Amino acid sequence: MSEDQAVVTAVLAGEPGAFERLIQRHQALVWHMVYRMVAQPEDARELCQDVFLRVHDRLRQFRFESSLATWIGRVAFNVATRHLQKKKIAWVSADEDEGENSEYMRASDGFDLAEACADQELMRHMAAEIERLPALQRTLVTLYHLDELGIGDIAASTGLPEGTVKNYLFRARHRLRQQLETRLGVLA
Amino acid sequence: MNKFDATEREARLQAAAEQAERNDLPVGDAELDAYRLVIRAVREAAMPGLPEDFARRVSVRISPTADQASFEDGMVTLLLLGMALGGGGYFLPRFWPLLASLPLRLPTMNLPAVSWHWIVAAGLAISLAWLIDRFWHEHHGAMPA
């Protein structure tokens, strides 16, 4: 029996502590997905609770056709997007023009990666730039690089085609690099 | 460099940076390192988190609810049963002679007369079966084969 099957069986059997274990295993992923989509900590915390309550209610419907993480991710993504729709907040950005500016200032030439990573100011600036990315881009880039989900898993969780996920990831990293170059240009 | 080539080049740089990060390769290529910094920034970006006892809090919200729900279900069942018995005890002695005196003959079919109490009994049996089925679905999912 896989780990997913074991935990699902335990929760469905009403084993004490089983659902708490399930939450602990998946809460980071759910938090990253919901917080990156919604960007409001209080709302995101409430929504995370909703996600797990829904997971509990619908666990019988889980058919092991994907990993449990992917299935829970899908619930989280649906909860977050429904929240944004209810609040009439656009979560898909139409900023198609960002790829135009592919000529960099090359301000990063000769910069030291270790030194840059140790530069708290620069890392704070980059964190702020991540926050400024369109909701879907910052979510996908977080799921891919922080949660280390594969493209296929992200596509399954979000319902987006794999090519679209790759495209959003490319654009997010591209945009962040542009912001980095701009920042280094300012610092130089 | 046209737009397609530039995009292609950036995509290759991003893939190489990802590979370099994954394999902890030495630094030194400025363009690659810029993307490596982007990847690290995403990984290390500070963001608020969930409370430490989040899992316990949510699971507690579910467990007592389930216990409470089963207690409430039991109470409601008892109440409904009491009401049914009380109602039956009150109305049956009054209406039973009337119901029993009303034979039902289906007009188009040549069937023997059926008295009302058989129809009531059949209705009760169907309702009971439906309630058992509903209860089973709610608490155990699909009915076992």
Side-chain angles (χ1 to χ4, degrees), chain A residues 20 33 35 39 68-69 72 75 77 92 99 104 129 140 143 159 169 183 188:
Chain A
E20 189 173 340
M33 188 172 265
Y35 175 69
L68 184 60
I72 292 176
V75 175
F77 189 74
V92 181
Y104 294 104
E129 289 304 332
L140 299 187
L143 294 179
L169 282 174
R183 172 76 182 182

Side-chain angles (χ1 to χ4, degrees), chain A residues 36-37 77 91-92 134-141 158 160 168:
Chain A
R36 282 306 192 201
M37 285 297 285
F77 189 74
W91 51 277
V92 181
L136 193 54
Q137 285 187 23
R138 68 172 175 251
T139 304
L140 299 187
V141 90
T158 56
L160 297 168
Y168 275 119

Side-chain angles (χ1 to χ4, degrees), chain A residues 28-29 32-33 36 130 133 135-155 157-158 162 164-173 176, chain B residues 11 13-22 35 38-44 47:
Chain A
L29 170 69
H32 293 154
M33 188 172 265
R36 282 306 192 201
I130 293 165
L133 285 173
L136 193 54
Q137 285 187 23
R138 68 172 175 251
T139 304
L140 299 187
V141 90
T142 302
L143 294 179
Y144 188 72
H145 289 297
L146 181 60
D147 295 292
E148 297 184 340
L149 292 190
I151 300 284
D153 289 330
I154 296 175
S157 287
T158 56
E162 289 193 10
T164 307
V165 173
K166 284 181 192 167
N167 187 28
Y168 275 119
L169 282 174
F170 171 79
R171 286 161 60 184
R173 288 184 294 232
L176 288 173
Chain B
L13 269 176
Q14 289 189 6
E18 209 185 311
Q19 199 69 19
E21 276 300 279
R22 198 170 293 149
Y35 273 125
V38 164
I39 292 169
R40 289 187 194 184
V42 172
R43 283 192 193 139
E44 291 163 23
M47 62 172 131

Side-chain angles (χ1 to χ4, degrees), chain A residues 19 31 49 106 144 170 173, chain B residues 14 18 31 48-49 61-62:
Chain A
F19 191 58
W31 172 252
Q49 287 201 22
R106 307 287 178 223
Y144 188 72
F170 171 79
R173 288 184 294 232
Chain B
Q14 289 189 6
E18 209 185 311
E31 282 188 305
R61 260 185 78 177
I62 284 163

Side-chain angles (χ1 to χ4, degrees), chain A:
Chain A
M1 190 186 280
S2 73
E3 252 183 273
D4 280 354
Q5 278 175 321
V7 74
V8 169
T9 308
V11 173
L12 292 180
E15 194 181 288
F19 191 58
E20 189 173 340
R21 285 202 303 278
L22 180 147
I23 297 174
Q24 281 166 345
R25 271 181 62 186
H26 299 284
Q27 67 180 42
L29 170 69
V30 169
W31 172 252
H32 293 154
M33 188 172 265
V34 173
Y35 175 69
R36 282 306 192 201
M37 285 297 285
V38 171
Q40 299 290 333
E42 286 311 311
D43 287 354
R45 286 186 192 110
E46 286 288 317
L47 292 171
C48 280
Q49 287 201 22
D50 288 352
V51 169
F52 283 109
L53 294 177
R54 269 168 204 249
V55 164
H56 187 267
D57 285 348
R58 297 175 185 181
L59 202 55
R60 267 176 219 293
Q61 296 169 13
F62 177 54
R63 296 279 171 259
F64 299 97
E65 285 159 0
S66 64
S67 72
L68 184 60
T70 303
W71 186 75
I72 292 176
R74 178 127 208 169
V75 175
F77 189 74
N78 288 341
V79 166
T81 51
R82 216 166 292 151
H83 172 82
L84 294 175
Q85 281 162 359
K86 219 184 284 174
K87 296 217 160 188
K88 299 191 188 328
I89 299 169
W91 51 277
V92 181
S93 165
D95 52 352
E96 298 294 335
D97 59 339
E98 63 188 297
E100 298 291 336
N101 183 14
S102 53
E103 290 304 315
Y104 294 104
M105 289 185 286
R106 307 287 178 223
S108 64
D109 284 358
F111 96 116
D112 184 294
L113 179 61
E115 200 178 291
C117 287
D119 182 344
Q120 295 295 313
E121 188 73 18
L122 180 64
M123 293 308 267
R124 264 199 299 276
H125 171 79
M126 291 305 290
E129 289 304 332
I130 293 165
E131 301 272 345
R132 268 195 278 277
L133 285 173
L136 193 54
Q137 285 187 23
R138 68 172 175 251
T139 304
L140 299 187
V141 90
T142 302
L143 294 179
Y144 188 72
H145 289 297
L146 181 60
D147 295 292
E148 297 184 340
L149 292 190
I151 300 284
D153 289 330
I154 296 175
S157 287
T158 56
L160 297 168
E162 289 193 10
T164 307
V165 173
K166 284 181 192 167
N167 187 28
Y168 275 119
L169 282 174
F170 171 79
R171 286 161 60 184
R173 288 184 294 232
H174 189 232
R175 182 164 161 161
L176 288 173
R177 185 187 164 186
Q178 284 179 318
Q179 297 306 326
L180 173 68
E181 299 287 347
T182 307
R183 172 76 182 182
L184 292 173
V186 169
L187 291 178

